[in-house]
């Protein structure tokens, strides 16, 4: 009998595992996908090789790339961008770690309190949550992003909008700022040369400004795994959970099994008591545990719940999926912006109650994808009647022909902005089981329904407001032409499909992160979030919540004391972690 079994090793699972292993519990992590132990050898920077959702090394599918990916059923034109494997979707992420606004938490009484999704607040206050944010910020660690030309251009535009420059970590009002991100700052030769021979660890440390965050971070080459620049969990929490005995007195190293797809949660006397997982040879394995933690992400958690036949008395399992109702605005400039250089997303504007606008720079194939993925049709040729306006942009919809070629051929003269909406929890945005696609080897597959054209008035207001601000920012920065894409649904930030909440009628989890209907079953990843975190990139919030959930598990089921208020965290770049990583070949 294990103390704890954790399902999934993406953004959330390794956080719970690391915290509880650090307290000496016997933790097993089961991951459906691959573990990339030698990414410098296993990964290329070629975009199709890395990112192709069918054949790429970073996809939702089995370790063997010759095998078909795991499919989901989308009744609308959309796509969920996730990754199976150790690190999960953080293998793609940009490491942006903004704090959520206080207005999405219970008890908020600021002048803008009515602006938020007040029916779906976190079931505790922001002041209670802040220490968990700080704990994760020190563990990863989170630092202020370095600035370059594209950041200076973005700042110029934000100042032109009349926004305040924010230097605090807490979000308090409309403002612009450098991102807080979990990318180690450049040191030594890093950021000073493009010569790969000079960019080897230890001469180079931290971000080498390679511009390939999306393809998985291997920089600086020859660095120990926990000293790679971008703090995806494969480089931060996973090395820590595997070496908990080395950096924590009384800690116990977590066991990790990959290519282990959990197909069932086991129950006994109405409580969770373990899981069954399947290995690629078709064998089924049973693990018994005192506590089960689901961290399989927003799509797979409800799928596993339904396939396990777990209770769903209020019909909220899988409901309430938020995804920041993203959009994309870009400006064409006459002079150099440098959009293909350096870390992808170093600057942002926050508009509490509405969401955020952040600069996001992409490698070329993804850049052209982002500039052509529209729900509004082809500008000047046909109109999809999506109901969205240009909000002051010169064009709405995707560019084609010479217009597109012209923009893309001067990619370093573009400034791009991702609109990240604070969108409402809607019961009809949901994950169920498909009755259209055949089952795969793990059971019935997930169906993801997004009511793209039936958003609440507040969600639509927020997205249009942010798109207008992004257009204004481009103009104030000096753009010659500005384009709004009106993205079709692209689910990069998925949240809240197994939400915690104050109201038992509209939530799956209680305020401890424990399932209301199944004692000893916890959820710790983006799906546990109560709402869309106010439009903040969600992972820091999820990881802080996972830390809090780990404490609750330790207190409730193992008789332990909480630690976050009483101690200081160990950093994932601590020398003891590095020594154990090197010693054990991790
Ligand atoms: C391009 C891109 C950029 C992003 N940038 C940012 C950013 O800058 N900042 C930010 O905050 N967020 C960012 N995100 C979002 C971020 O990646 C997610 O918030 C985060 O990864 C979510 O963590 P998770 O644990 O919920 O899910 P995931 O990271 O998707 O992890 C789930 C894991 O569980 C495994 N799993 C699922 N089902 C099972 C099962 N049945 N058995 C065993 N294992 C299972 C999966 O294989 C996977 O490894 C970005 C996302 C994308 C796509």
């Amino acid at each position: 009998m294990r103390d704890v079994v954790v399902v999934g090793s993406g953004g959330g699972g390794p956080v719970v595992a690391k915290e509880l292993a650090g307290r000496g519990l016997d933790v097993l992590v089961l991951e459906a996908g691959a573990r990339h132990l030698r990414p410098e050898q296993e990964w290329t920077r070629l975009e199709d090789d890395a990112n192709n959702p069918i054949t790429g090394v970073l996809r939702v599918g089995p370790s063997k790339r010759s095998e078909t990916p795991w499919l989901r059923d989308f009744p609308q034109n959309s796509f969920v961008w996730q990754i199976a494997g150790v690190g999960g979707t953080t293998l793609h992420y940009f490491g942006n770690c903004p704090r959520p606004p206080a207005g999405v938490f219970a008890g908020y009484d600021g002048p803008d309190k009515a602006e938020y999704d007040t029916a779906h607040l976190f079931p505790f206050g922001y002041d209670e949550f802040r220490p968990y944010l700080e704990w994760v910020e020190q563990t990863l660690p989170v630092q202020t992003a370095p600035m370059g030309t594209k950041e200076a251009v973005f700042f110029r535009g934000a100042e032109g909008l009349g926004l305040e420059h924010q230097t605090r970590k807490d979000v308090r009002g409309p403002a612009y700022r450098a991102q807080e991100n979990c990318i180690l700052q450049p040191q030594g030769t890093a950021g000073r040369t493009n010569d790969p021979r000079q960019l080897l660890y230890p001469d180079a440390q931290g971000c080498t400004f390679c511009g390939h965050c999306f393809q998985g971070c291997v920089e600086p080459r020859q660095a120990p795994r926990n000293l790679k620049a971008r703090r995806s969990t494969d480089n931060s929490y996973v090395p820590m959970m595997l070496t908990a005995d080395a950096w924590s007195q009384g800690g116990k190293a977590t066991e990790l099994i990959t290519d282990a797809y959990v197909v069932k949660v086991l129950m006994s006397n109405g409580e969770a008591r373990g899981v069954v997982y399947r290995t690629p040879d078709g064998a089924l394995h049973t693990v018994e545990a005192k506590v089960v933690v689901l961290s399989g992400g927003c799509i797979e958690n409800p799928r596993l719940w339904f396939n396990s036949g777990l209770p769903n008395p209020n019909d909220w399992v899988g409901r309430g999926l938020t995804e920041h109702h993203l959009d994309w605005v870009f400006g064409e400039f006459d002079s150099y912006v440098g959009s293909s250089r350096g870390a992808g997303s170093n600057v942002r504007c926050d508009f509490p109650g509405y969401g955020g606008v952040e600069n996001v720079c992409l490698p070329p194939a993804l850049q052209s994808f982002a500039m052509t993925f529209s729900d509004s049709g082809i500008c000047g040729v046909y109109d999809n009647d999506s109901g969205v306006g240009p909000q002051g942009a010169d064009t709405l919809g995707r560019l084609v022909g010479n217009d597109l070629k012209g923009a893309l051929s001067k990619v370093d003269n573009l400034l791009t902005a991702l609109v990240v909406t604070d969108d409402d929890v809607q019961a009809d945005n949901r994950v169920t089981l498909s009755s259209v696609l055949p089952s795969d080897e793990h059971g019935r597959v997930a169906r993801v329904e997004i009511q793209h054209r039936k958003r609440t008035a507040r969600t639509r207001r927020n997205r249009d407001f942010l798109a207008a601000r992004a257009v204004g920012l481009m103009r104030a920065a000096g753009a010659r032409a500005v384009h709004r894409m009106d993205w079709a649904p692209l689910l990069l930030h998925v949240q809240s499909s197994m939400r915690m909440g104050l109201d038992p009628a509209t939530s799956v989890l209680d305020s401890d992160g424990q399932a209301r209907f199944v004692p000893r079953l916890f959820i710790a990843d983006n799906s546990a979030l109560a709402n869309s975190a106010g439009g903040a990139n969600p992972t820091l919030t999820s990881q802080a919540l996972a830390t809090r959930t780990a404490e609750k598990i330790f207190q409730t089921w193992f008789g332990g004391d909480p630690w976050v208020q009483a101690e200081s965290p160990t950093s994932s770049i601590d020398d003891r972690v590095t020594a154990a990583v090197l010693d054990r070949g991790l």
Side-chain angles (χ1 to χ4, degrees):
M1 167 82 75
R2 300 280 185 159
D3 287 330
V4 179
V5 61
V6 178
V7 179
S9 65
V15 177
V16 176
K18 171 258 172 188
E19 295 297 342
L20 293 177
R23 302 283 128 187
L25 296 195
D26 175 20
V27 183
L28 171 68
V29 174
L30 298 170
E31 166 54 51
R35 179 164 181 215
H36 301 281
L37 251 181
R38 303 276 170 265
E40 287 176 41
Q41 287 79 43
E42 292 174 40
W43 297 345
T44 68
R45 286 177 171 169
L46 301 174
E47 289 185 73
D48 187 57
D49 184 53
N51 306 326
N52 187 311
I54 308 294
T55 59
V57 69
L58 304 179
R59 62 170 183 162
V60 176
S63 293
K64 270 199 194 153
R65 288 174 73 184
S66 54
E67 294 177 2
T68 52
W70 297 317
L71 299 179
R72 279 85 178 260
D73 172 11
F74 299 100
Q76 66 286 318
N77 169 17
S78 66
F79 172 57
V80 180
W81 213 316
Q82 289 184 311
I83 300 176
V86 175
T89 312
T90 69
L91 294 173
H92 268 332
Y93 90 152
F94 289 83
N96 294 337
C97 289
R99 292 184 181 181
V104 300
F105 291 81
Y108 178 69
D109 201 24
D112 60 343
K113 67 179 177 187
E115 298 293 346
Y116 300 90
D117 182 0
T118 50
H120 302 100
L121 298 173
F122 278 86
F124 43 80
Y126 184 71
D127 286 343
E128 182 194 325
F129 194 54
R130 191 188 289 105
Y132 298 95
L133 294 166
E134 290 168 349
W135 182 274
V136 176
E137 285 165 350
Q138 289 175 51
T139 305
L140 283 168
V142 173
Q143 298 168 319
T144 305
M147 301 288 100
T149 309
K150 62 184 185 316
E151 289 79 16
V153 177
F154 189 96
F155 273 15
R156 190 166 73 220
E159 279 160 10
L161 284 183
L163 291 172
E164 179 198 339
H165 181 211
Q166 181 191 319
T167 52
R168 312 171 291 269
K169 292 214 181 210
D170 279 341
V171 179
R172 293 206 197 126
Y176 74 93
R177 60 177 162 145
Q179 294 274 16
E180 291 293 307
N181 71 20
C182 58
I183 300 177
L184 299 179
Q185 301 230 331
Q187 289 181 45
T189 54
R192 295 175 191 276
T193 173
N194 288 332
D195 180 355
R197 290 164 306 180
Q198 293 185 48
L199 286 173
L200 302 178
Y201 180 88
D203 292 338
Q205 295 182 33
C207 180
T208 61
F209 281 41
C210 78
H212 292 277
C213 296
F214 212 100
Q215 277 83 253
C217 185
V218 297
E219 298 288 329
R221 288 173 191 268
Q222 299 182 5
R225 191 62 184 262
N226 67 313
L227 298 183
K228 297 292 187 194
R230 205 261 320 266
R231 317 306 293 154
S232 41
T233 55
D234 59 319
N235 296 334
S236 54
Y237 275 95
V238 170
M240 287 195 93
M241 76 181 193
L242 296 174
T243 61
D245 54 321
W247 55 265
S248 172
Q249 207 175 9
K252 184 171 170 39
T254 297
E255 186 183 355
L256 167 67
I257 305 179
T258 54
D259 301 293
Y261 207 115
V262 175
V263 292
K264 188 166 187 173
V265 176
L266 297 172
M267 299 273 285
S268 172
N269 298 324
E271 299 187 338
R273 76 164 169 86
V275 298
V276 176
Y277 68 93
R278 183 183 184 279
T279 41
D281 58 4
L284 295 173
H285 311 260
T286 297
V287 179
E288 299 212 331
K290 294 173 191 155
V291 166
V292 176
V293 180
L294 302 187
S295 302
C298 278
I299 313 302
E300 294 300 319
N301 284 342
R303 176 196 184 195
L304 178 58
W305 189 288
F306 290 130
N307 276 333
S308 303
L310 299 181
N312 182 18
N314 65 5
D315 194 27
W316 262 79
V317 171
R319 289 190 184 273
L321 181 69
T322 56
E323 26 84 50
H324 286 160
H325 200 11
L326 303 172
D327 201 357
W328 189 255
V329 171
F330 68 95
E332 295 183 76
F333 289 72
D334 287 326
S335 54
Y336 176 81
V337 175
S339 60
S340 69
R341 303 279 187 266
S345 181
N346 287 348
V347 275
R348 68 182 296 110
C349 299
D350 293 300
F351 299 95
Y354 294 84
V357 171
E358 59 190 16
N359 177 226
V360 170
C361 296
L362 297 166
L366 284 162
Q367 179 73 26
S368 55
F369 165 78
M371 288 167 62
T372 52
F373 185 67
S374 177
D375 192 36
S376 281
I378 300 177
C379 77
V381 181
Y382 76 83
D383 175 3
N384 261 354
D385 201 17
S386 74
V388 162
Q391 297 300 108
D394 298 303
T395 66
L396 173 69
R398 63 193 150 110
L399 305 178
V400 280
N402 288 336
D403 292 338
L404 181 63
K405 273 194 206 160
L408 274 172
S409 63
K410 291 192 179 148
V411 73
D412 270 329
N413 285 13
L414 301 180
L415 185 67
T416 48
L418 180 67
V419 164
V420 193
T421 306
D422 175 9
D423 50 353
D424 282 337
V425 169
Q426 286 180 246
D428 51 0
N429 287 345
R430 64 189 299 210
V431 180
T432 53
L433 294 179
S434 177
S435 51
V436 177
L437 290 183
S439 298
D440 68 16
E441 64 274 33
H442 309 118
R444 288 179 66 188
V445 304
R447 175 180 172 92
V448 185
E449 290 175 64
I450 293 289
Q451 309 301 325
H452 190 55
R453 302 271 182 94
K454 292 185 193 158
R455 307 290 182 148
T456 64
R458 193 187 80 96
T459 299
R460 291 200 308 275
R461 175 204 74 166
N462 287 358
R463 187 171 183 251
D464 281 346
F465 173 92
L466 296 170
R469 292 299 169 285
V471 171
L473 185 149
M474 297 294 167
R475 297 234 188 266
R480 164 167 58 77
V482 184
H483 310 281
R484 180 182 184 187
M485 263 322 100
D486 180 22
W487 266 2
L490 178 65
L491 287 72
L492 297 175
H493 292 172
V494 272
Q495 298 104 192
S496 58
S497 61
M498 305 291 282
R499 62 181 300 274
M500 63 164 45
L502 282 169
D503 184 353
T506 57
S507 55
V508 179
L509 308 178
D510 65 17
S511 59
D512 287 356
Q514 185 167 214
R516 291 189 179 281
F517 332 121
V518 187
R520 296 181 185 272
L521 181 60
F522 289 77
I523 298 190
D525 58 18
N526 282 18
S527 69
L529 297 180
N531 52 46
S532 65
N537 311 55
T539 314
L540 174 73
T541 306
S542 284
Q543 293 181 329
L545 187 61
T547 306
R548 185 178 178 277
T549 301
E551 256 194 5
K552 300 291 182 192
I553 292 170
F554 195 56
Q555 287 175 265
T556 308
W557 295 108
F558 297 95
D561 294 323
W563 58 86
V564 164
Q565 302 266 27
E567 299 174 16
S568 297
T570 300
S571 164
S572 60
I573 58 173
D574 186 281
D575 288 345
R576 289 167 295 174
V577 183
T578 308
V581 163
L582 289 172
D583 187 45
R584 299 172 196 182
L586 301 173

